Amino acid sequence: MSTKTEQLIQEGQAVVMNTYGRLPMALVKGEGSWVWDREGNKYLDFVSGIAVNSLGYKHPAVVQAIQKQAEEILHTSNLYWIPNQIALAKLLVEHSFADKVFFCNSGAEANEAAIKLARKYAKLHFGPEKYEIISLKNSFHGRTLAALTATGQTKYQAGYEPLPEGFSYTELNNIDDLTKKISDKTAAVIIEPIQGEGGIIPAEPEFLKAARKLCDEKGAVLIFDEVQTGVGRTGKLFAYEWSGVEPDIMTLAKALGGGVPIGAMLAKDSVAAAFKPGDHASTFGGNPLATAAGCAVLNVMLEEGFLEGVQERAEYFKGELQKLADRYQTGEAVRGAGFLLGWPVSKLGSELVNTCREKGLLINFAGGKALRFVPPLNVSFEEIDYAVKILDEVFASLWNA
């Protein structure tokens, strides 16, 4: 690390709140699956802004959409109709279970909107006592207060008490526990199809089917948090497609804008109708720039063969990771779907991440449980092989040392 970067870090520490455990580097350029830091060092990026840059860096369709929109108009507010917003909503509706879309700026905001809509719907149709939200232990739904309370990890909640009331937690893939917890007071059940920050742990299709059935029986809304799994990440446009279980509400963010901040809450008409003008809003939500980027991203992903290519390369990568896991006897099998993969390791998480970085590969450690791999969806076989080569070298030097 040069004096130049050290100075930048010192300047940042002086004026930026200390809310992140940052690595001692600053990324300043990206192209395809690669990024460069201020020193000119080149890295293969299998973090992708934490599943945000799903078309990699400097994708021409996204760049052109942003440039074109910047020359026209950046922001108008939702006091007026926004053509790009309508276009993006149409794409989402045409390719999902949903009938209506609400736009915001982040995954946490999308989950807040989903919780509000679920409670409004429940009260309108069932009365004031139906307001409880069931989420899953080990889940992650965001940092705003309701989303934080829905997050089933106490480490994120410490210091923010009293938390909003009306939230309870059940165990992932435990149908009996969910059956015991759900009641006539339950307004919604919120589930990540794959727990991301919790360590890349998939929900079993049988569990999702049981949740759907129980919600139907109790008049509760089923919410899928697809902030990390959605928009192509698992090899289908949305992860719920793998199970065939449709939610009533789905939340998106991360990859939807290709790097431009945007979130979305999608819902069926029957539920969406609970919101009236003034019930919820977002100043920047779905503005012309963000939705221009979103349209560009979706149009690329909807091209013939794109998602099939993701599935093919992801299956290859998962197989190569499993070979390494078997070779180094790291324990549990590699898990996840598409390019949302977790390699469970019981030790050396930070050391493995840092040594990979030193060798030119960016990965991270999710939930203190697994190495997380979320490369761009258009990563090449050659780049996958390069990542596997580095991982092999790192484990050879550290795992049984």
Side-chain angles (χ1 to χ4, degrees), residues 142-395:
R143 305 283 187 161
T144 51
L145 207 52
L148 181 73
T149 308
T151 293
Q153 300 189 59
T154 55
K155 67 181 181 181
Y156 293 114
Q157 300 168 344
Y160 301 109
E161 303 85 356
L163 299 173
E165 66 177 49
F167 290 80
S168 62
Y169 311 94
T170 189
E171 293 180 357
L172 177 66
N173 297 327
N174 188 330
I175 296 171
D176 290 340
D177 191 43
L178 177 59
T179 303
K180 291 174 185 174
K181 296 282 175 61
I182 198 168
S183 73
D184 291 334
K185 290 186 175 183
T186 304
V189 176
I190 182 168
I191 300 171
E192 297 165 279
I194 300 174
Q195 290 186 338
E197 301 304 316
I200 322 301
I201 305 173
E204 295 170 357
E206 295 75 18
F207 179 75
L208 298 178
K209 289 172 185 173
R212 176 72 276 172
K213 183 172 182 291
L214 288 166
C215 284
D216 289 341
E217 290 172 356
K218 296 295 184 181
V221 169
L222 180 60
I223 305 169
F224 283 172
D225 176 344
E226 292 225 28
V227 168
Q228 190 160 163
T229 59
V231 196
R233 177 53 53 187
T234 67
K236 289 188 181 290
L237 199 58
F238 307 111
Y240 78 81
E241 296 178 73
W242 290 107
S243 67
V245 177
E246 289 188 354
D248 301 297
I249 298 174
M250 176 173 67
T251 56
L252 303 172
K254 287 192 180 290
L256 185 57
V260 176
I262 187 171
M265 176 190 65
L266 287 64
K268 293 180 178 177
D269 260 333
S270 56
V271 178
F275 268 176
K276 304 298 181 190
D279 282 346
H280 197 55
S282 173
T283 297
F284 292 103
N287 82 1
L289 181 70
T291 48
C295 286
V297 169
L298 278 187
N299 282 325
V300 170
M301 291 191 185
L302 290 168
E303 290 175 0
E304 185 176 353
F306 180 89
L307 291 172
E308 290 79 5
V310 172
Q311 293 175 29
E312 182 183 7
R313 294 189 302 277
E315 196 60 33
Y316 173 76
F317 183 38
K318 188 176 184 181
E320 294 300 299
L321 288 178
Q322 189 58 54
K323 288 177 188 176
L324 292 180
D326 293 340
R327 181 181 307 160
Y328 293 103
Q329 299 181 337
T330 54
E332 297 177 59
V334 175
R335 58 199 181 210
F339 279 125
L340 176 55
L341 297 176
W343 178 355
V345 293
S346 58
K347 61 182 181 180
L348 300 175
S350 297
E351 291 88 340
L352 292 166
V353 168
N354 283 325
T355 307
C356 282
R357 176 175 59 86
E358 291 167 1
K359 289 181 173 289
L361 173 66
L362 301 182
I363 61 173
N364 79 331
F365 194 48
K369 297 182 179 74
L371 299 175
R372 173 169 49 183
F373 303 92
V374 282
L377 301 183
N378 47 5
V379 66
S380 69
F381 282 107
E382 292 77 15
E383 289 165 340
I384 291 169
D385 287 340
Y386 184 73
V388 170
K389 177 177 177 290
I390 291 176
L391 287 163
D392 193 7
E393 292 172 357
V394 169
F395 270 82

